[in-house]
């Protein structure tokens, strides 16, 4: 017979091993069945346990925390639909390669499928999104089983981190009684290893500075396309250095951290909308690093090219919807670039790089002239990249914020770190994920988000309040999904408005007040700057709201694209 003492001894060893493996954070949510897991996490020295009411919030918070730190975050919940609430974050973690350790409490086998309350089938609940599933079972705390539990924790942490990082799922059946009736006995049936070492160590073998040889032939007309890679904060700088050394234009999504340095081309999205220019600037070689950027014109251009296209990705991820990649290099991107540098040094034709740079300057001028001094959606994106200190993290929501950032952010050598949920591009869980990034305690976090995405995840503000976290939310409120106004569906009249654009008329000042957050309206650029600085200095949560009009926003974007097109053809 197992009793609560066995359960708690096993879980104590499990949690202790997580810490020995470098796990520093866990998220909990309330419930009865999960009591032993939650109390064990909360009482483990070295583990910060973040309490959330809503499991969907807990899951995305863990995701944001793991993204910012690169360490696996444990997230525990009770049985039933509570476990299902973690699914969106587990899916995002799988798609975006973020390490999570999901611990779901379950009924023991004799209480499954017999009408016991709050019981659903949790076996492989997350399907292929979980890298590894373990039905942990119930055990006596014998030395052998405690040892197994220690190894299990290590395996969970290392599996979450290894290969492509991602979520692992451990389902833990728990029998009543769920609380101890006295202190745990002194001593451990199987103490951990000496010196705080994990039961199973997994030393990370550093990537070699130089790989022997990478078969990518230099080309005078090459470009580098850099997309999201949140794992290696030093990769952006390495990419900029490689681009400068090779003289290859660097088309870098801000999520790559590489929109910097003398070869950066910031406005490729606007430039490649111009067909003659897109046709003129045909490269012979494309080096793609990280995810494919969001920009539609860039994607269409890449799909149309008659060029060698090479992907560099730590795990050789297959990011090639158009089927045009000719070579996949599955190796540490930074080490690969180091290996390529000597052979590619000065390989780029200076006139080719200058052609791109001149076009980029032309685009920047046309954009600035078109945007003028008005506070607009594009201007918010540009201001954030410009104004935030290097130690800040900018968390960018899906929909127009991520697109405006890509289109309008200027290159900057010491810009903030940029994070986003781009695995599955959901608008769900964005506030929670930004709060998780804030909980990492590595500098201020600013969330750039639309009104629908904020309304969707307002409940996360409860966590900000309960956990005393700091977050500045820059809300672009166009009363609906402004992105859809760019699409043909926007001509479908009232049905479009009701079912696709979904205006809501919410007063976000009241929402902020409910959660004890500050709220400020910014009506012009200088107010945005002032409120941003004030919010960053204030602590707690501030919502800085910018009100815009969806139709006017579409018109402004079209004026920008037209102005860039006209300017590049004048310059031709
Ligand atoms: C979970 C989820 N549901 C639906 C969508 C589809 N979707 C993409 S953008 C969007 C509207 C977002 O509106 P808002 O946050 O106000 O940003 P805006 O488009 O106005 O910039 C929706 C519903 C999604 N990406 N994720
Ligand atoms: Mg909106």
């Amino acid at each position: 017979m197992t009793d609560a003492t066995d359960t708690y001894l096993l879980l104590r060893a499990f949690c202790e091993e997580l810490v020995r493996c470098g796990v520093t954070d866990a998220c909990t949510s309330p419930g009865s069945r999960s009591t032993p897991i939650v109390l064990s996490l909360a009482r483990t020295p070295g583990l910060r346990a973040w309490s959330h009411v809503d499991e969907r919030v807990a899951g995305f918070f863990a995701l944001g925390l793991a993204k910012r730190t690169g360490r696996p975050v444990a997230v525990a919940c009770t049985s039933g639909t509570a476990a299902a609430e973690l699914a969106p974050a587990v899916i995002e973690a799988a798609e975006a390669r973020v390490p999570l350790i999901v611990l779901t409490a379950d009924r023991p086998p004799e209480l499954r499928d017999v009408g016991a309350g709050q019981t659903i089938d949790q076996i492989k609940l997350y399907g292929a999104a979980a890298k590894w599933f373990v039905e942990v079972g119930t055990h006596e705390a014998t030395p052998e089983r405690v040892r197994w539990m220690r190894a299990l924790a290590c395996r969970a942490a290392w599996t979450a981190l290894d290969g492509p990082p991602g979520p692992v799922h451990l389902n833990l059946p728990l029998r009543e009684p769920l609380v101890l009736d006295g202190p745990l006995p002194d001593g451990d049936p199987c103490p951990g290893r000496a010196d705080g070492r994990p039961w199973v160590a997994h030393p990370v073998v550093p990537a070699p500075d130089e790989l022997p040889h990478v078969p990518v032939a230099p080309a005078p007309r090459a470009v580098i396309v850099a997309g999201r890679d949140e794992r290696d904060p030093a990769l952006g700088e390495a990419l900029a250095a490689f681009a400068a050394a090779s003289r290859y234009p660097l088309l870098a999504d801000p999520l790559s951290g590489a929109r910097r340095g003398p070869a950066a081309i910031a406005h490729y999205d606007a430039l490649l909308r111009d067909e003659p220019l897109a046709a003129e600037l045909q490269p012979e070689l494309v080096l793609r690093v990280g995810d494919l950027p969001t920009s539609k014109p860039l994607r269409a251009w890449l799909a149309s090219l008659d060029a060698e296209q090479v992907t560099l990705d730590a795990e050789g991820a297959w990011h090639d919807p158009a089927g045009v990649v000719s070579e996949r290099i599955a190796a540490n991107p930074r080490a690969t670039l180091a290996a390529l540098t000597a052979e590619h040094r000065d390989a780029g034709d200076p006139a080719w790089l200058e052609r791109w740079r001149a076009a980029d300057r032309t685009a920047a001028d046309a954009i600035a002239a078109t945007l003028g001094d008005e506070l607009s959606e594009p201007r918010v994106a540009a201001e954030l990249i410009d104004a935030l200190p290097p130690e800040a993290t900018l968390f960018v929501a899906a929909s127009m914020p991520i697109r405006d950032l890509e289109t309008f952010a200027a290159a900057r050598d010491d810009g903030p770190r940029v994070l986003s949920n781009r695995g599955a591009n959901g608008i769900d869980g964005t506030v929670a994920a930004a709060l998780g990034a804030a909980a990492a305690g590595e500098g201020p976090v600013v969330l750039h988000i639309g009104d629908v995405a904020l309304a969707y995840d307002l409940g996360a503000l409860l966590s900000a309040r309960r956990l005393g976290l700091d977050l500045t939310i820059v809300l672009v409120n166009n009363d609906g999904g402004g992105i859809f106004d760019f699409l043909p569906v926007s001509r479908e009249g009232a049905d479009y408005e009701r079912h696709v654009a979904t205006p809501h008329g919410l007063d976000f000042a009241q929402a902020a007040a409910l959660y004890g957050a500050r709220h400020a309206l910014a009506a012009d650029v200088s107010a945005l700057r002032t409120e941003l600085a004030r919010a960053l200095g204030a602590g707690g949560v501030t919502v800085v709201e910018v009100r815009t009009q969806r139709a006017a926003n579409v018109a402004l974007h079209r004026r920008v694209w037209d102005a860039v097109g006209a300017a590049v053809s004048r310059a031709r």
Side-chain angles (χ1 to χ4, degrees):
M1 271 304 290
T2 53
D3 64 15
T5 303
D6 292 284
T7 303
Y8 278 82
L9 283 172
L10 291 159
L11 285 169
R12 187 177 68 183
F14 182 89
C15 296
E16 187 187 300
E17 289 298 327
L18 290 182
V19 173
R20 288 168 175 239
C21 291
V23 176
T24 54
D25 296 272
C27 293
T28 68
S29 42
S32 166
R33 190 60 50 173
S34 53
T35 300
I37 308 173
V38 165
L39 293 185
S40 299
L41 288 169
R43 292 171 183 171
T44 299
L47 209 53
R48 296 186 291 185
W50 304 94
S51 157
H52 302 272
V53 171
D54 175 331
E55 292 83 10
R56 193 180 74 191
V57 169
F60 277 105
F61 184 96
L63 177 95
L65 191 40
K67 247 181 211 286
R68 185 65 186 81
T69 62
R71 295 189 291 268
V73 175
V75 52
C77 70
T78 195
S79 62
T81 51
E85 301 293 342
L86 293 175
V90 169
I91 291 166
E92 175 60 23
E95 295 291 334
R97 296 186 266 179
V98 181
L100 293 183
I101 301 169
V102 177
L103 307 171
T104 53
D106 200 352
R107 308 271 155 166
E110 66 275 14
L111 290 180
R112 294 184 192 172
D113 199 20
V114 290
Q118 213 174 310
T119 311
I120 65 166
D121 183 358
Q122 296 181 191
I123 304 297
K124 299 204 168 180
L125 181 61
Y126 310 112
K131 282 181 72 179
W132 188 49
F133 170 80
V134 184
E135 169 66 5
V136 177
T138 57
H139 308 273
E140 284 176 43
T142 60
E144 293 75 22
R145 287 304 153 84
V146 174
R147 186 178 67 205
W148 176 74
M149 209 62 180
R150 289 186 181 279
L152 184 71
C154 297
R155 190 166 173 190
W158 303 140
T159 304
L161 275 172
D162 260 354
V168 298
H169 176 201
L170 280 63
N171 193 49
L172 295 113
L174 294 158
R175 271 198 195 97
E176 293 183 16
L178 298 165
V179 288
L180 293 166
D181 53 12
L184 279 179
D186 286 340
D188 194 296
C190 172
R193 295 196 191 276
D195 306 327
R197 276 187 301 138
W199 194 261
V200 184
H202 187 299
V204 178
V205 181
D209 284 345
E210 297 264 340
L211 296 174
H213 175 71
V214 183
V216 180
R221 291 162 65 97
V223 298
I224 303 167
V225 173
R228 187 187 70 94
D229 185 318
E230 291 160 339
R231 265 189 282 164
D232 181 1
L235 178 57
E237 207 174 330
L239 268 163
F242 177 80
S246 59
R247 297 197 295 236
Y248 296 159
L250 173 56
L251 283 53
D253 181 343
L255 293 173
S256 68
R259 190 173 280 190
R260 52 161 84 199
I265 306 299
H267 301 299
Y268 57 81
D269 175 85
L271 289 172
L272 294 173
R273 286 172 195 268
D274 186 69
E275 282 179 21
L277 189 74
E280 180 199 328
L281 295 176
Q282 295 263 330
E284 302 149 329
L285 168 68
V286 181
L287 270 183
R288 298 196 199 176
V289 186
D291 290 1
L292 211 46
T294 304
S295 165
K296 247 191 182 166
L298 175 67
R299 287 177 172 229
W301 182 72
L302 289 173
S304 75
L305 295 177
D306 180 22
E308 285 295 318
Q309 300 204 34
V310 180
T311 57
L312 305 186
D313 182 276
E315 289 95 23
W318 203 286
H319 285 183
D320 183 22
V324 291
V325 166
S326 46
E327 193 169 304
R328 285 167 62 243
I329 298 175
N332 178 292
R334 198 143 49 92
T336 309
L337 291 172
L340 287 169
T341 300
E343 202 186 344
H344 287 251
R345 187 177 300 282
D346 295 331
D349 174 0
W352 164 254
L353 174 59
E354 187 42 37
R355 180 74 192 93
W356 276 94
R357 285 170 43 88
D360 199 35
R361 284 192 298 271
T362 304
D365 292 345
I367 289 170
T370 312
L371 296 185
D373 297 329
E374 298 288 300
L375 183 53
S376 57
E377 296 193 20
R379 192 63 191 269
V380 171
E383 283 298 319
L384 286 174
I385 277 294
D386 200 44
L388 293 183
E391 68 275 14
T393 296
L394 177 61
F395 205 103
V396 192
S399 206
M400 289 314 288
I402 189 81
R403 288 176 173 77
D404 281 344
L405 191 77
E406 188 175 9
T407 305
F408 297 103
R412 182 177 157 190
D413 288 351
D414 63 344
R417 181 138 185 223
V418 184
L419 300 176
S420 184
N421 288 343
R422 291 314 279 167
N425 302 355
I427 59 162
D428 47 347
T430 317
V431 180
L435 285 169
E442 295 171 16
V445 177
V446 174
L447 169 63
H448 177 198
I449 190 169
D451 50 290
V452 177
L454 178 58
Y456 199 121
D457 202 28
L458 264 186
L461 293 180
L462 179 58
S463 288
R465 181 183 168 90
R466 292 186 61 247
L467 299 171
L469 293 166
D470 300 339
L471 180 69
T472 299
I473 300 176
V474 175
L475 162 65
V476 177
N477 184 2
N478 53 21
D479 200 19
I483 193 169
F484 301 125
D485 272 48
F486 288 84
L487 303 182
V489 66
S490 64
R491 294 193 287 269
E492 299 291 334
D495 289 337
Y496 164 71
E497 275 295 301
R498 169 171 286 270
H499 296 286
V500 184
T502 63
H504 44 73
L506 283 179
D507 176 359
F508 284 99
Q510 291 193 45
L514 174 63
Y515 296 104
R518 277 178 301 275
H519 175 271
L521 273 179
D524 54 37
V525 174
S526 94
L528 175 63
R529 287 194 193 138
T530 312
E531 293 303 342
L532 197 57
R534 187 176 294 162
L536 285 171
V541 175
T542 305
V543 179
V544 179
E545 178 172 348
V546 176
R547 296 216 179 121
T548 60
Q549 303 288 332
R550 285 185 271 125
N553 182 50
V554 174
L556 178 63
H557 279 78
R558 299 215 162 114
R559 282 206 305 283
V560 166
W561 299 330
D562 289 348
V564 171
V568 294
S569 66
R570 269 199 309 277
R572 193 171 290 122

